[in-house]
Amino acid sequence: MSKSKTSAGHTSVSRRRVLATIASAAGFVASTTVFADTYPSRPITLIVPYAAGGPTDTLTRIIAEPMRIALGETVVVENAAGGAGSAATQRVQRADPDGYTVIVGNWGTHVINGAMQALKYDLHADFEPISLIADNPHLIVSKSAVPATDLKGLITWAKANGDKLSAANSGAGSPSHLSGLQFQKLTGTMFPFVSYRGSGPALQDLMAGHIDLYFDQISNSLPAVQSGQVRAYAIAAPKRSAAAPEIPTVDEAGLPGFHISVWHAAWVPKGTPKAIVDKLNAAVGAALNDPSARKRLADLGQEVVDPDKRGPQALGAFHKAEIEKWWPLIKAEKLSTP
């Protein structure tokens, strides 16, 4: 009899615990739903992981105003430089998952850093994707004196003169450096790199004829191409650029699949409610559909991504694919941030 009472008592306690757990979960779902319904109710901060004035900062400030209109709340842009963008990324990862702290990162902060630094966060697992924003594809360019006039000719020339030519980059592990390494891997070429402190000095030396090759963002190199100071062979993208439709893609020019872009995207901390993620995604979409914002981005050489690539799931899949593509190359070269 005593044993029976004890069993009944345990059953009663277990039932109460189950009911309490269900009630707690229901309360959490209800509170999350209410929270999402009232979002946003205070200013939203877009964190730029670099100093003011750079391409990421400029892009973020362009989309901030139309996002403000779409959300009906103040959108603040805050610069937080340090650690090649990792300091700001970690700050956002640790922020409350309430939709009020958003990071606008790029290929560097959310792909390259993970292979070159010992990060205290997981680039893919610790963030909720919001939306891809824009691409800034690379151009393959050379000094004007290079005899090759098309990409196939350039590859042939590079194979025959690998010990004589040199390519510029903006530092070990920079997008221009990784582009050059990928070019060597795909073409079977080998040539030395010369590192510069930025794209500006590298491009200056290319125009002056002190360096032979450069794999550079279209927003940096296009003015020099259009003025005839350097020669462009192809754009490293699957489609031609609206800013330079006369330049063929790498697929058209003879190096299919050599697609490289310093893309930008937005994320929030892991655990942010889906309803809030969807609201932020819609606001980014509204900004990218705004004619004024699109023109300003195009003037900078930024290619606004197509609507079917802007969803959170699309960004999540693309981000994962980029990590799987670039990390092996970076680690094989044993590149690291000091």
Side-chain angles (χ1 to χ4, degrees), residues 150-152 155 186-187 233-234 248-258:
D150 59 27
L151 184 55
K152 289 182 178 179
I155 294 170
L186 294 179
T187 61
Y233 294 91
T249 68
V250 285
D251 303 87
E252 295 168 332
L255 190 57
F258 182 65

Side-chain angles (χ1 to χ4, degrees), residues 77-147:
V77 177
E78 181 181 332
N79 299 90
S86 62
T89 308
Q90 183 171 356
R91 173 183 161 189
V92 174
Q93 181 258 331
R94 292 177 173 177
D96 291 335
D98 54 13
Y100 289 100
T101 307
V102 182
I103 187 165
V104 178
N106 60 23
W107 182 40
T109 60
H110 281 71
V111 176
I112 296 175
N113 280 359
M116 293 186 63
Q117 298 184 37
L119 302 176
K120 296 181 180 180
Y121 51 86
D122 187 300
L123 282 168
H124 194 258
D126 288 345
F127 298 88
E128 299 287 354
I130 297 297
S131 176
L132 268 172
I133 298 172
D135 288 325
N136 194 351
H138 277 202
L139 282 179
I140 303 173
V141 293
S142 79
K143 66 182 183 182
S144 299
V146 170

Side-chain angles (χ1 to χ4, degrees), residues 201-245:
L203 189 58
Q204 287 293 326
D205 263 13
L206 187 75
M207 290 189 290
H210 302 316
I211 210 83
D212 299 293
L213 290 176
Y214 195 22
F215 303 86
D216 192 24
Q217 297 175 53
I218 187 172
S219 59
N220 294 329
S221 293
L222 188 58
V225 171
Q226 293 175 331
S227 66
Q229 294 172 287
V230 300
R231 178 181 294 134
Y233 294 91
I235 183 170
K239 65 178 183 179
R240 296 195 181 201
S241 170

Side-chain angles (χ1 to χ4, degrees), residues 10 194 212:
H10 279 309
V194 179
D212 299 293

